[in-house]
């Protein structure tokens, strides 16, 4: 096996193990020794890729943004794109331990040295851009402040996924996000345009 391929597999094993521990017990509860044991690697191998537990956490926080990838080719991004973004994130929270760990780390941002405020800012900025496009297209009422609405959407999603995690282990997260968007759409979209949007998210192309 080539050295570069071996190194990549080691890095993946470390990230997967760290995600598993952070998801289970949080940043403070996860020890490097537990991560090493789960990954099956040496301390030297870990420090070759990551200088500290904080650096591991930062890498996993960045993983959450992979949910943006399927939306990169959307021709006319707007309000439905924002809906799909949150529904994609909801799906990832149910199926991808790295994304779950990254979100938990962001929520627990006060627990470690470098708070993850930038992650919130990226989400707010992304949703804000989509809502500005929606407003320009006439899909959001003129009197609605797109910046304030973006912050409300991100905060609502955060609370929704936390409630779902606590109450059902996120088994009902899709339904909760759908209800969240039904409520938001009824409040901010002109009635004649409501039919354009699906709060449950756009089905994948191969299921249409």
């Amino acid at each position: 096996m080539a050295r570069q391929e071996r190194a990549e597999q080691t890095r993946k094993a470390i990230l997967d193990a760290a995600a598993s521990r952070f998801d289970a017990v949080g940043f403070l509860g996860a020890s490097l020794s537990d991560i090493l044991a789960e990954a099956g690697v040496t301390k030297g191998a870990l420090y070759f890729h990551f200088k500290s537990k904080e650096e591991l956490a930062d890498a996993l926080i960045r993983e959450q943004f992979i949910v943006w990838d399927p939306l990169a080719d959307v021709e006319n991004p707007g309000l439905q794109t924002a809906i799909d973004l949150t529904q994609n994130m909801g799906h990832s929270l149910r199926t991808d331990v790295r994304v779950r760990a990254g979100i938990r780390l962001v929520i627990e941002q006060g627990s470690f040295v470098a708070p993850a405020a930038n992650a919130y800012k990226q989400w707010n900025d992304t949703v804000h851009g989509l809502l500005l496009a929606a407003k320009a297209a006439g899909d959001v009422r003129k009197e609605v402040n797109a910046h304030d609405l973006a912050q409300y959407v991100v905060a609502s999603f955060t609370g929704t996924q936390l409630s779902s995690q606590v109450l059902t282990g996120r088994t009902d997260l899709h339904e909760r996000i759908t209800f969240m968007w039904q409520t938001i759409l009824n409040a901010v979209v002109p009635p004649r345009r409501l039919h354009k949007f699906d709060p449950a998210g756009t089905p994948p192309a191969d299921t249409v």
Side-chain angles (χ1 to χ4, degrees):
M1 184 186 298
R3 181 180 299 177
Q4 184 175 353
E5 184 180 352
R6 236 183 357 255
E8 185 56 36
Q9 287 190 358
T10 299
R11 186 178 187 278
K12 180 181 181 301
I14 294 168
L15 279 173
D16 287 342
S20 175
R21 298 311 302 151
F22 289 146
D23 180 43
V25 298
F27 182 82
L28 292 178
S31 68
L32 283 178
S33 59
D34 287 342
I35 293 171
L36 289 171
E38 187 161 334
V41 302
T42 65
K43 187 178 290 187
L46 185 148
Y47 284 122
F48 176 79
H49 292 281
F50 303 99
K51 296 177 182 178
S52 64
K53 192 166 75 165
E54 286 78 14
E55 194 170 294
L56 256 176
D58 287 341
L60 287 167
I61 285 171
R62 290 193 297 272
E63 289 273 328
Q64 67 187 276
F65 299 112
I66 62 173
V67 301
W68 294 353
D69 293 345
L71 305 176
D73 298 326
V74 175
E75 290 185 9
N76 297 301
L79 188 52
Q80 188 63 51
T81 318
I83 296 169
D84 294 345
L85 182 63
T86 57
Q87 290 287 13
N88 286 358
M89 173 57 86
H91 176 75
S92 293
L93 281 167
R94 295 191 300 273
T95 60
D96 191 329
V97 69
R98 290 197 191 184
V99 173
R100 285 198 302 275
I103 290 295
R104 176 165 182 168
L105 289 166
V106 169
I107 291 170
E108 296 178 351
Q109 62 174 305
S111 299
F112 51 100
V113 176
N118 189 54
Y120 279 111
K121 186 177 186 304
Q122 283 184 261
W123 275 98
N124 283 330
D125 288 350
T126 298
V127 175
H128 183 212
L130 295 172
L131 294 177
L132 283 175
K135 194 168 181 180
D139 292 331
V140 172
R141 297 174 188 269
K142 292 180 180 179
E143 67 271 20
V144 174
N145 184 297
H147 179 267
D148 292 345
L149 180 58
Q151 292 190 323
Y152 179 76
V153 167
V154 173
S156 296
F157 175 82
T158 301
T160 294
Q161 73 87 12
L162 273 174
S163 296
S164 178
Q165 177 193 0
V166 170
L167 295 173
T168 70
R170 295 196 179 101
T171 58
D172 66 349
L173 183 52
H174 175 73
E175 291 76 16
R176 286 175 179 264
I177 297 171
T178 300
F179 178 76
M180 179 192 89
W181 276 110
Q182 287 171 337
T183 304
I184 292 172
L185 292 175
N186 284 328
V188 305
V189 176
R192 69 185 183 281
R193 291 178 178 259
L194 275 172
H195 70 279
K196 294 175 55 180
F197 306 107
D198 185 353
T202 304
D206 57 359
T207 65
V208 175

